[in-house]
Amino acid sequence: MAQEKVMDLIQNEQFLKKAFRQALIPCILSILSGDINILVDGILVGQRLGDTGLAAINLSMPVYQVLCVLGSFLVSGTAISASREMGRDDMERARTLCKQAQTLCLLVSVATTVLGLLFLQPLSQFLCSNESIRPMMTDYVAVTIAGAVPNVLLYIPFWFLRLEGKNRSITMMMVIMGVGNIILDLWFLYGMDLGVFGASLASVISTALACGFGLIRLFGKSSSFTPGICIPHSRQEWQELTSTGSPSALNNLFQTLRLLMINSLFLMYGGASMVAAFTAVNGILAFSECITGGVPQAASAMLGSYVGDRDNESAALLMRRQWRSGVTGCGVFSAIVILGSGFLSTAYGLSTSLLFPLICLSLSLFPGLLNSMLSSFYNISGNTLWANHIILGRVLLFPAVVLPLLFWWGASPWLFLPLSEVLTSLAWWVAVQIAEARKPGHTRYLRLDRSLEQEGKVLNFSVSGNTETVCESSERITAFCTDNGLTPDQTMGISLAMEEIMTLVLEENKNTEIFFDLRAFFLWGTTGIRIRYNGAAYNPFQKNLDEDAYLGARVIQKLAKQISYQRAFGMNTLQIFV
C-alpha cells in the first residue's frame, strides 16, 4: 500500500493523457477530412481527365500552398501566443490576439485575390512551361485565387477552437469541407463536365462552407473569443507575431518550393507520367499528416499552457505521450498504404506500381513524426530558431540535396523521402549535443529552463480523484509551503482549504472519473498553487461561499492575493497566489 501511495503522488500521465486523447482523435479526423480535398481531386480528376488533368492540379498546388503560408503565418503565431497568455491567466490579451488574426487575415486575403487575378497570366507561365497543360492549370489557379478569403480565414477557427476545447467542432468543420468537396466534385466533374475548373470550384465552395461553420462555433454564446478588428501597434507585438508564426509559415513556404523543385526534376527525368505518380504519392503523404502533423497539433494548446507557467515536467510527459500515440498511428497507416498500393495505383489511373514509393513513404513517417513533434514544441516554447532549422532540413534542404544525387547515381528517386527525414533527425541530434555542452542549465533535448526545479521552488504531482489521495496531496502541499517559509497558520489554512476544494470538485462530478494535476511554486516571494482537473466546468469560488460546504473556499479567499479560474482546452484550471 505504501508503494502505491508513492507512485500516486508523483507527476504522471493520468490527467494529461485523458485531456490529450480528447483532443487527438478530433484533430486527426480534422486533418484527415481536409486531406480528402487533395485526394478526391486527384482520384476524380485522374479518372475523368487522365494524367494531363492530374499534372495540371499538381502544378497549380503552389498557389494553394501560398494561401496556406499566409493563413498559417498570421493565425498560428497569434494562436500559439494566445495559448501562452491563457497559461499566464491573461484572457484579455488572448482575445486581442484573436482579433488581430481576424483583421490581418481579411486584409491579406483580399489583397492576394486582387493582385493574383491581375497577374494571372505571368503566374501561369511561371508555374508551367508545358503549353498543353497550362490552360487547365490556369483555370484551377484562377478559381483558387478568387477563393483566397475563405482559404485564409479557415485557419482562425481551426486554431482558436482548439484553445476553447471545442475539438469536435473542428472535426465537423473539416468534415463539411471534405464531404462537401466530394459531392461538389462529382457534380461539377461528372454532372456538369466543368473539368479542372469544376474541381477547383468544388474545393473553394466546400472550404467557404467549413469556414462559415467554424466561425459561427468560435464566436458563439459560450465562447471566450469575440469578432473584432485590431491591428498590432507596437514593434514588440509585430515581432511576437512574426517570430511565433514563422515556423508554420516557413513550413508551407518550403513545401511550395519543394513541390516546384520535385515537379521540375520529375518532369525533366520522367515526364508527365512520373509527375502523375508523384501527385499520387504526394496526396497520400498529405494524408499521413493526420498522424505526423495531427499528433503535435493535438498537444499544441496544452503545451502552450504548460510553457506559459513553466511546467516542464508536464511538457516532457506530454511529448512522450505524443511519441507513443504517433508511432502506433504511423505503423497502422504504413500497413494500410503498403497493402493497398495496387488499389491506389488503379484509383489514380496510373499504369505504374506505387508499391516501392509507398514503402519509402512509410519508412519516412517515423523520423518525420519526431521531426514534426520537435519543430512544433520548439515553436511553442519560444525556440523558433530550432523549429525553423528542423523545418528547413526536412522539407527543403535535404530533399534538394538528396533527390538530384539519387537521379545522378541512377538510384530510385523515391528514396529521398526517408533519407531526408533521417538526415534531419541526425542533424538535430548533433545540434543538441553541442547545445548541451555550451548551455548545460537546460534540458538536453527540449531545451527547457530547469532553474525552478533545481532550486526546489516547484512541486508537481498528479492524483486520482478519491478521498485518500486528496488527503495525501494536502500533506504534500503542507510540506512544500513549510519549506518555502510560509507561517504555520498560512500553511495549515492552505492545506485544509485545498483538501476541501478538491472534495468539492469530486462532489460536483460524482458520475465522472476525475484526475487532478497539481503544481505548487515559490517565485518572487509569492507562493502559487495551480489545480487542473477534468470534468464539468466548475469554479467553487463562484458559488455562495456563506454555505458551510464552502468553508475551505472562504479560507483560501482570505489568504490569497489573487484567485483565478479558467476553462480552456476542455480543462478546468484554478490558480491561487498567496
Side-chain angles (χ1 to χ4, degrees), residues 370-393:
L370 176 63
N371 294 331
S372 182
M373 286 172 48
L374 290 169
S375 61
S376 176
F377 178 80
Y378 287 139
N379 185 29
I380 292 168
S381 63
N383 293 312
T384 52
L385 191 62
W386 282 80
N388 290 340
H389 277 90
I390 290 174
I391 292 169
L392 172 64

Side-chain angles (χ1 to χ4, degrees), residues 145-158:
I145 292 174
V149 173
N151 272 306
V152 174
L153 282 179
L154 181 72
Y155 283 84
I156 294 175
F158 184 79

Side-chain angles (χ1 to χ4, degrees), residues 64-343:
Y64 174 76
Q65 289 178 329
V66 166
L67 298 179
C68 294
V69 169
L70 296 174
S72 60
F73 173 69
L74 296 172
V75 181
S76 66
T78 52
I80 289 171
S81 296
S83 72
R84 290 200 292 251
E85 296 301 331
M86 292 169 75
R88 300 177 185 127
D89 197 33
D90 191 349
M91 195 63 211
E92 191 57 39
R93 174 61 182 158
R95 292 190 187 98
T96 299
L97 288 163
C98 182
K99 292 176 182 178
Q100 290 177 356
Q102 298 168 52
T103 305
L104 293 173
C105 282
L106 276 173
L107 292 175
V108 170
S109 59
V110 170
T112 301
T113 296
V114 173
L115 293 173
L117 293 177
L118 283 175
F119 296 98
L120 179 60
Q121 292 305 319
L123 177 62
S124 298
Q125 292 173 1
F126 171 74
L127 291 172
C128 180
S129 59
N130 190 317
E131 294 184 1
S132 64
I133 301 176
R134 191 187 303 156
M136 285 192 291
M137 190 211 67
T138 302
D139 287 343
Y140 200 97
V141 168
V143 178
T144 302
I145 292 174
V149 173
N151 272 306
V152 174
L153 282 179
L154 181 72
Y155 283 84
I156 294 175
F158 184 79
W159 279 89
F160 279 92
L161 280 172
R162 195 175 298 121
L163 303 188
E164 284 277 275
K166 297 178 180 177
N167 296 293
R168 292 182 180 178
S169 295
I170 302 174
T171 302
M172 182 57 64
M173 183 177 73
M174 303 309 287
V175 166
I176 290 171
M177 187 168 75
V179 174
N181 187 57
I182 293 174
I183 295 171
L184 292 172
D185 262 334
L186 290 170
W187 183 21
F188 292 156
L189 282 173
Y190 291 86
M192 301 180 67
D193 197 23
L194 295 179
V196 293
F197 174 84
S200 182
L201 187 63
S203 295
V204 169
I205 293 175
S206 59
T207 300
L209 292 173
C211 180
F213 172 83
L215 291 173
I216 290 171
R217 291 292 296 142
L218 177 62
F219 300 133
K221 292 182 180 179
S222 61
S223 176
S224 303
F225 299 102
T226 56
I229 297 175
C230 183
I231 296 288
H233 296 293
S234 66
R235 181 179 178 181
Q236 182 179 357
E237 286 182 313
W238 282 108
Q239 287 178 337
E240 180 183 18
L241 187 152
T242 54
S243 175
T244 311
S246 63
S248 183
L250 284 176
N251 180 58
N252 285 294
L253 176 61
F254 293 155
Q255 289 284 2
T256 303
L257 297 175
R258 164 193 170 112
L259 191 58
L260 288 169
M261 175 200 68
I262 295 173
N263 280 337
S264 297
L265 288 172
F266 276 15
L267 193 61
M268 181 188 304
Y269 288 97
S273 61
M274 182 169 280
V275 173
F278 176 65
T279 303
V281 173
N282 201 42
I284 298 164
L285 181 63
F287 251 75
S288 72
E289 281 288 315
C290 70
I291 306 296
T292 58
V295 169
Q297 283 189 25
S300 62
M302 293 173 63
L303 283 173
S305 180
Y306 291 147
V307 168
D309 62 9
R310 295 180 65 178
D311 189 350
N312 296 344
E313 291 185 44
S314 293
L317 283 171
L318 187 51
M319 289 295 286
R320 288 194 284 271
R321 168 53 51 185
Q322 288 182 71
W323 175 250
R324 286 194 289 271
S325 300
V327 165
T328 302
C330 288
V332 172
F333 186 90
S334 298
I336 291 172
V337 297
I338 291 173
L339 292 175
S341 61
F343 168 78

Side-chain angles (χ1 to χ4, degrees), residues 147 208 270 350 355-356 408 431 435 488:
L350 300 174
L355 177 59
F356 186 73
W408 184 53

Side-chain angles (χ1 to χ4, degrees), residues 403-425:
L403 186 56
L405 288 176
L406 291 172
F407 276 119
W408 184 53
W409 289 333
S412 172
W414 303 108
L415 289 171
F416 89 93
L417 291 167
L419 288 176
S420 299
E421 298 287 6
V422 170
L423 289 172
T424 301
S425 297

Side-chain angles (χ1 to χ4, degrees), residues 430-445:
V430 171
V432 294
Q433 307 308 315
I434 296 172
E436 171 67 12
R438 292 181 176 178
K439 199 172 184 180
H442 291 62
T443 57
R444 173 174 295 180
Y445 297 114

Side-chain angles (χ1 to χ4, degrees), residues 11-23:
Q11 184 80 359
N12 61 47
E13 290 186 325
Q14 288 303 313
F15 172 79
L16 64 83
K17 179 171 65 174
K18 188 177 183 68
F20 175 64
R21 283 177 176 173
Q22 289 176 343

